[in-house]
Amino acid sequence: GPPPASVAPKFKIIKYCVLGMFGCTCGELLVGAMIGKLFSMLASSLNLILNTIIGIFLLRDDPLIGRMYAFLARTCCGPCSEQCQGGIGCLMSFIICNAITVFIDILLGGEISLIIQNFKVMLNAVDFYEAFIYWANLVCTVGALVAQIVGSVYAWLAYKEIRDSGVTSSGGDWSSGGYPQASAPRDDPPSQPPRQANFTAFAGSGNRLGN
């Protein structure tokens, strides 16, 4: 289902991040086609493509992103849309996948050094076409990295706010995806003091003194 109104500003930023990830994905594929390495660029952008699709599923109730979701649900992601209804249930998946991708790109993939290297090559390009190729690749790489970092951070902030506010899940909306549910307080009846059996002292029948 749609996010609560309290986190709507955060989801607006997440929306811009998903649109930025989508634009950077298209830009990287365009650069790959221009240099004759489309399939190589496609393989290196799989994580970004996956994160973008998860973001589209997350924002399926948005009027603009909803059109992308409807297209994916009718085409390549039809089986996924049947298993996962999208919406806010994809929030934690969006956080984890983006965080893992950023961690791999920066710490294990050497993305920062690659960005610096491409920037130096762009400054030393011999013609405009070569400089444009490196500039476009640089913009898409940096833009995708920033969008994933900002998107995952604001998604985590939205997750914490909803969790702390005690929002509950209803079947078919928020129940999928392991989203936190607030437990309703139980109205236990007031405890009653234990009932004691009736007891009357010296009520037995005995012999009277003197008998």
Side-chain angles (χ1 to χ4, degrees):
S6 60
V7 295
K10 294 182 177 64
F11 268 77
K12 188 175 183 180
I13 297 177
I14 296 173
K15 172 185 175 180
Y16 292 146
C17 292
V18 172
L19 291 175
M21 292 161 59
F22 178 79
C24 292
T25 301
C26 295
E28 289 184 354
L29 297 180
L30 178 61
V31 170
M34 294 175 66
I35 62 178
K37 296 182 179 180
L38 176 60
F39 293 102
S40 176
M41 189 66 74
L42 177 63
S44 63
S45 303
L46 287 180
N47 287 336
L48 177 59
I49 295 173
L50 174 63
N51 295 339
T52 304
I53 293 176
I54 297 175
I56 292 174
F57 271 68
L58 171 64
L59 301 171
R60 58 164 295 181
D61 297 295
D62 181 81
L64 176 59
I65 306 294
R67 300 177 185 176
M68 302 180 184
Y69 171 81
F71 174 78
L72 293 176
R74 291 194 307 265
T75 55
C76 58
C77 295
C80 298
S81 63
E82 295 175 359
Q83 298 294 327
C84 175
Q85 298 299 321
I88 204 167
C90 299
L91 187 59
M92 183 54 67
S93 299
F94 183 77
I95 297 171
I96 295 175
C97 291
N98 279 281
I100 292 176
T101 300
V102 171
F103 176 81
I104 293 176
D105 288 343
I106 294 180
L107 298 182
L108 302 180
E111 194 78 10
I112 301 300
S113 60
L114 183 62
I115 291 173
I116 297 175
Q117 180 182 355
N118 287 339
F119 181 76
K120 293 179 180 180
V121 174
M122 180 189 68
L123 295 179
N124 298 325
V126 295
D127 55 14
F128 176 78
Y129 180 78
E130 182 181 2
F132 174 77
I133 293 294
Y134 280 100
W135 174 83
N137 187 36
L138 184 65
V139 169
C140 293
T141 302
V142 176
L145 196 61
V146 172
Q148 290 176 102
I149 294 174
V150 176
S152 59
V153 169
Y154 274 86
W156 171 250
L157 294 176
Y159 175 86
K160 287 182 58 180
E161 183 172 344
I162 299 175
R163 180 195 63 189
D164 297 339
S165 64
V167 178
T168 58
S169 301
S170 60
D173 283 335
W174 294 35
S175 56
S176 60
Y179 204 82
Q181 304 182 16
S183 58
R186 297 187 307 172
D187 295 331
D188 294 332
S191 59
Q192 299 290 338
R195 300 180 60 184
Q196 298 180 356
N198 294 330
F199 176 78
T200 303
F202 306 109
S205 58
N207 294 326
R208 300 179 61 184
L209 296 177
N211 290 343

